[in-house]
Amino acid sequence: MAAVLKAAKEQLICHLCKQILVEPKTLNCMHSFCKKCIQQYMEHTTKGQKSPAGFLCPDCNNVMPLGQLSGSTPEAWASELQTNEALSSILKAFENSGEEIAMKCAFHAEKEVEFYCEDHEMLLCSLCATLTHKPCTDVVTIPVAAARRKADGGKFINFLSEQITMTEKVLSDRKEQLSTLDKSETEIKNQLTQIKKRMIDYLESMESKVIQEMTQRKMKEMHALKSDLDICNGILVDATSSLKTIQQSIDKDTPAGFIIRFKDQVQMFDERQTKLVRHVQTLKNVKLTFLPNRPLEQAVVQGKHIGSLNTESFPSRLAQVYAKAAPIETQRPTLTRQGTSKARPYSGVSTAAPTPRSVRSTTDMPSFRKPNVPRQIRSRGPREYSKQENETKSVISDVSSRISEKPASDLTQSKAMELSSVDGKTISAKFKSDFIASVPDQKECSLEGAAILKSGHVVLSDSYHSSLKLFDPKFAYIGLIKFATSPGDVCAVGDSEVIVCLPDTMRLKHEKIENNKIVPGEVLTVGDKCHSVGYNNGTLACCSGRTIHVFARDNHSWLRVSTTPMDADNLMYIAVDPNGERIVVTRNGYPNRPVVCLTKNGQKVWSYTHEELRLPRGVAFLGQNVLIVSWDQQKVIQLNREGHLEGVVLQQGVQWPWKLAVSPKGDKLMLTQCYYRLPFKDKNCVKVYKVIR
């Protein structure tokens, strides 16, 4: 009987998420999966196909044709799949009987979960508990872990009630905001109608004046033309009469009479001819023309808009109420481990949707369980270049020369070494000194990150030698600390602290500078291979290739504020503005990857793209201005707070710049250099510039 129950329980486990089936859907091959799991699996396997014919069963690889389904999206396909009523009935029976259905281990499909690791907050089987999680300090049975959480159940229920209440208030506030937006739209439309009416009235009034003046001028010119017509008609009548008189005189008059009449007509002809010639000489052609008001015409033609449409953003009344309160995320019940007085934030199993096993990436694995992939030794540059960038390197000189032959663009036309900043002050950078980052017995360095502390000390992360190096304010080498893996970027936190990325372990390491030594500190587990980090005013931001993570400092711990997936897989460096509210991140690769600015909650503010900023690297804030390294153009450009170009800060003497760091006082800039063709002395050289205001 026990074997029968065990076999039945195994049929109730989804082969994709390894958990109890939810809304079991059955394929033609009779294998069943959770509705949401099979929907995600179909979406992944048919992605990029215009008219997919079918997909393979994730369990037996038999073809499941989609032709028999009428839907056009994975969601519709999943809904049309046959529901396994038998399994649904068994699930209900188990629920009514109180019999527990054990879940399968995510890493050992044949094993059931029996333990829970408090250090990593993961369900484990016996193999995981005795092997991979053996070094952990608190691995307990599932009933013990559940009992700990049930002890705080009442407190957690109170927090949930508060969360529901606040959410309802937010919903009410947002509905009110929707009404405000509709009202704003109506007011703007009314404004536009009034502007249009005033413009039409003005144009009609001006048109009436022009037409009136045109009529007056026309009448005046017509009167002059009528006088010309009268003169010409008089001459014509006299000439016709003379012609008739001469013709009659020839036939009827005597010779003597004809001579006298002919003489009179000749005299009259001369008089008319003189009058006609004089009149012809005074004739003028007249044409009425209209010359529009040039400023008005230019305003109509060149004007891109009739006014500026602004989106005014200000804290809502709820934000003002909760402005002095602790962040919502910090108001969580704490779970105290038995036998200790140390409390830790409670966060149960992740509520994220399960990822199909065949689709799951290596970043979903715990930091101590790495994929069995041979590591590639890096000897060129802080980070492996993409294939596209490697192809670009061989022609970089040719591209640079071709760009220099083009007409000057708005970037090259900007003030090269002296720029006007937002606050009207002048910013310029002047070379001050340089120093070598290599230490004895080191030929080549790979400087992934750089930071300047308030004390003037400089911290460099060297991924080639897996170390963090410390230099004094005069750039003399003091010492280093070694890591088991290659570090990424580093940023200053506080007066004498830094945070360094350790991508392979999916963690950030907090290091302190005490007595001219680097002292190891706390570890922040991110759960992602973040390679760049930035900090300002209590906000810590880090990024992997495709995701931005933001944390806030609460007493002595870091709390996650947001996780923003980006529609990209090539994020490079990240920086936080002095207010701790905005984040700027650069992207790698051709063609013309934009620099993106976000709020710390992940909302996009602006993006900047330029033909001469194809391979942006390091980024930093100097006040409210954004400084960006253009690696292939070998310069540092400046954008203002709104993402508009202000000019070029550094260009002369810069060789393949990589990481950019700004001193806390904003009086110094520091650049590392990276290119595989650079000699070791240049690759190991760090340049320092003085900022002149």
Side-chain angles (χ1 to χ4, degrees):
M1 187 65 180
V4 173
L5 284 175
K6 182 178 180 181
K9 291 178 181 179
E10 289 180 353
Q11 294 300 317
L12 301 179
I13 302 299
C14 175
H15 288 199
L16 288 173
C17 64
K18 305 302 179 185
Q19 298 185 19
I20 301 171
L21 286 166
V22 178
E23 293 186 74
K25 293 290 183 177
T26 303
L27 306 183
N28 292 347
C29 55
M30 302 308 294
H31 288 116
S32 299
F33 309 91
C34 298
K35 178 183 177 181
K36 192 170 185 178
C37 292
I38 195 63
Q39 175 184 330
Q40 291 180 343
Y41 177 81
M42 289 189 292
E43 184 175 357
H44 176 79
T45 54
T46 60
K47 185 176 182 180
Q49 302 179 24
K50 292 184 178 180
S51 300
F55 64 94
L56 299 180
C57 171
D59 195 5
C60 64
N61 287 333
N62 285 331
V63 177
M64 170 63 190
L66 293 174
Q68 58 187 345
L69 303 178
S70 60
S72 59
T73 63
E75 183 178 0
W77 297 334
S79 299
E80 290 185 41
L81 290 175
Q82 183 178 1
T83 302
N84 194 322
E85 300 294 345
L87 290 180
S88 299
S89 301
I90 296 174
L91 284 169
K92 291 181 181 178
F94 269 105
E95 291 177 2
N96 296 332
S97 66
E99 182 74 23
E100 183 179 356
I101 305 174
M103 290 185 287
K104 294 294 183 179
C105 177
F107 302 102
H108 304 94
E110 73 283 358
K111 304 289 290 183
E112 296 179 354
V113 294
E114 303 176 56
F115 300 94
Y116 187 80
C117 176
E118 294 284 6
D119 292 343
H120 295 92
E121 298 179 344
M122 293 181 62
L123 292 169
L124 313 173
C125 68
S126 56
L127 283 178
C128 290
T130 55
L131 296 177
T132 54
H133 287 260
K134 185 176 181 180
C136 297
T137 59
D138 196 1
V139 177
V140 298
T141 61
I142 291 179
V144 171
R148 291 180 180 178
R149 283 150 179 79
K150 288 180 181 179
D152 288 331
K155 185 185 295 185
F156 187 53
I157 290 173
N158 292 335
F159 275 89
L160 286 174
S161 300
E162 292 178 5
Q163 189 179 62
I164 291 172
T165 301
M166 184 174 180
T167 304
E168 290 174 346
K169 291 181 179 179
V170 173
L171 283 172
S172 176
D173 180 78
R174 294 300 89 188
K175 290 178 181 179
E176 182 179 342
Q177 181 64 24
L178 286 173
S179 176
T180 302
L181 284 175
D182 291 336
K183 185 178 179 181
S184 300
E185 180 186 17
T186 303
E187 291 176 353
I188 292 174
K189 286 182 177 179
N190 291 336
Q191 281 183 288
L192 292 173
T193 302
Q194 292 297 323
I195 292 173
K196 179 181 177 181
K197 183 178 182 304
R198 288 199 300 269
M199 293 179 68
I200 291 175
D201 291 344
Y202 169 77
L203 291 175
E204 288 179 348
S205 174
M206 293 299 101
E207 180 186 17
S208 177
K209 289 182 180 180
V210 172
I211 291 175
Q212 183 179 0
E213 183 179 357
M214 179 182 64
T215 303
Q216 293 174 354
R217 294 195 179 192
K218 178 184 176 183
M219 294 300 296
K220 180 180 178 181
E221 297 300 331
M222 286 179 64
H223 179 73
L225 289 173
K226 190 173 181 180
S227 298
D228 292 341
L229 291 175
D230 292 341
I231 293 172
C232 291
N233 286 330
I235 294 173
L236 181 61
V237 170
D238 291 343
T240 304
S241 178
S242 295
L243 177 62
K244 185 177 180 181
T245 299
I246 290 296
Q247 288 175 346
Q248 290 177 355
S249 179
I250 292 173
D251 296 334
K252 296 180 179 181
D253 288 347
T254 62
F258 174 76
I259 292 172
I260 294 172
R261 194 175 298 279
F262 183 82
K263 178 183 177 182
D264 293 339
Q265 293 301 323
V266 169
Q267 184 178 356
M268 294 173 62
F269 171 81
D270 291 338
E271 292 174 357
R272 288 195 304 271
Q273 187 68 18
T274 301
K275 184 178 180 180
L276 180 61
V277 170
R278 288 179 180 177
H279 184 66
V280 170
Q281 290 176 348
T282 61
L283 290 180
K284 293 182 180 179
N285 292 334
V286 179
K287 179 182 179 182
L288 293 177
T289 60
F290 176 71
L291 299 177
N293 187 326
R294 296 301 298 173
L296 180 61
E297 186 182 42
Q298 290 176 358
V300 174
V301 175
Q302 299 179 2
K304 296 181 180 178
H305 50 74
I306 61 174
S308 59
L309 185 64
N310 298 324
T311 301
E312 297 182 5
S313 178
F314 49 89
S316 69
R317 53 187 178 85
L318 287 178
Q320 296 173 2
V321 171
Y322 288 90
K324 297 183 179 180
I328 298 175
E329 190 176 5
T330 64
Q331 299 180 2
R332 298 182 297 177
T334 56
L335 175 64
T336 305
R337 300 185 187 184
Q338 187 174 3
T340 66
S341 59
K342 183 178 180 181
R344 60 177 302 185
Y346 170 81
S347 62
V349 180
S350 172
T351 58
T355 305
R357 187 177 183 184
S358 59
V359 184
R360 186 169 295 157
S361 65
T362 57
T363 57
D364 295 326
M365 305 178 70
S367 58
F368 51 84
R369 182 181 174 88
K370 302 177 183 177
N372 187 20
V373 179
R375 179 180 176 184
Q376 298 179 356
I377 300 176
R378 289 179 289 186
S379 61
R380 302 294 185 188
R383 195 173 298 128
E384 289 90 358
Y385 299 105
S386 64
K387 179 180 179 182
Q388 191 174 16
E389 187 171 343
N390 279 324
E391 295 172 353
T392 304
K393 292 179 187 297
S394 61
V395 295
I396 218 60
S397 299
D398 179 54
V399 173
S400 300
S401 62
R402 272 188 262 167
I403 291 176
S404 63
E405 294 171 359
K406 295 180 180 180
S409 62
D410 58 345
L411 180 64
T412 55
Q413 288 175 347
S414 59
K415 303 175 184 178
M417 294 296 292
E418 187 171 340
L419 305 171
S420 295
S421 65
V422 177
D423 58 5
K425 295 183 179 180
T426 300
I427 297 176
S428 61
K430 182 180 180 181
F431 178 76
K432 181 180 179 181
S433 62
D434 56 19
F435 63 98
I436 301 301
S438 61
V439 300
D441 300 327
Q442 291 184 357
K443 293 183 179 180
E444 180 181 2
C445 293
S446 185
L447 303 178
E448 185 90 354
I452 306 175
L453 302 180
K454 191 173 182 179
S455 61
H457 287 77
V458 174
V459 179
L460 304 175
S461 60
D462 185 352
S463 61
Y464 188 86
H465 296 283
S466 301
S467 61
L468 199 65
K469 299 177 180 179
L470 178 64
F471 297 80
D472 67 14
K474 295 184 179 180
F475 313 119
Y477 171 74
I478 297 177
L480 58 79
I481 183 173
K482 297 283 290 185
F483 299 106
T485 182
S486 297
D489 192 13
V490 63
C491 72
V493 178
D495 296 342
S496 58
E497 300 174 339
V498 296
I499 286 184
V500 60
C501 297
L502 298 176
D504 290 342
T505 64
M506 302 186 188
R507 296 178 176 181
L508 303 180
K509 193 77 181 294
H510 201 148
E511 311 286 1
K512 298 181 180 180
I513 312 301
E514 296 179 358
N515 299 323
N516 282 340
K517 292 183 180 180
I518 303 176
V519 180
E522 63 179 322
V523 174
L524 173 61
T525 301
V526 181
D528 198 359
K529 291 188 175 183
C530 293
H531 50 72
S532 181
V533 64
Y535 173 86
N536 233 325
N537 198 23
T539 299
L540 178 70
C542 57
C543 67
S544 61
R546 61 175 64 241
T547 307
I548 297 175
H549 305 271
V550 181
F551 300 85
R553 192 70 168 171
D554 179 58
N555 294 328
H556 300 292
S557 61
W558 291 100
L559 300 178
R560 192 184 298 269
V561 175
S562 65
T563 297
T564 306
M566 301 291 288
D567 187 18
D569 57 358
N570 50 8
L571 302 182
M572 286 295 295
Y573 278 95
I574 196 168
V576 182
D577 76 336
N579 299 327
E581 295 296 330
R582 291 189 176 190
I583 296 167
V584 173
V585 61
T586 60
R587 293 175 57 187
N588 176 38
Y590 285 86
N592 300 358
R593 299 298 184 185
V595 177
V596 183
C597 177
L598 311 167
T599 65
K600 64 180 180 181
N601 294 323
Q603 296 178 348
K604 185 177 178 181
V605 180
W606 53 259
S607 64
Y608 176 81
T609 306
H610 195 278
E611 62 181 2
E612 291 195 24
L613 187 62
R614 301 184 181 183
L615 291 175
R617 290 294 179 263
V619 60
F621 277 88
L622 181 56
Q624 293 297 330
N625 295 293
V626 183
L627 305 185
I628 304 168
V629 171
S630 180
W631 180 78
D632 56 336
Q633 297 300 311
Q634 303 187 51
K635 62 180 68 172
V636 177
I637 69 170
Q638 177 182 346
L639 307 180
N640 63 18
R641 176 179 171 83
E642 303 305 323
H644 299 146
L645 177 69
E646 294 226 346
V648 179
V649 180
L650 294 174
Q651 185 170 11
Q652 297 180 356
V654 178
Q655 297 187 76
W656 307 106
W658 193 268
K659 168 64 179 179
L660 173 67
V662 178
S663 64
K665 296 180 181 179
D667 59 341
K668 285 187 292 188
L669 303 180
M670 190 165 62
L671 277 176
T672 65
Q673 302 176 130
C674 171
Y675 189 36
Y676 72 97
R677 292 183 179 177
L678 280 175
F680 288 162
K681 65 176 183 177
D682 293 328
K683 189 181 296 186
N684 301 340
C685 180
V686 181
K687 295 189 175 183
V688 182
Y689 297 84
K690 182 179 180 181
V691 176
I692 303 174
R693 296 183 180 272

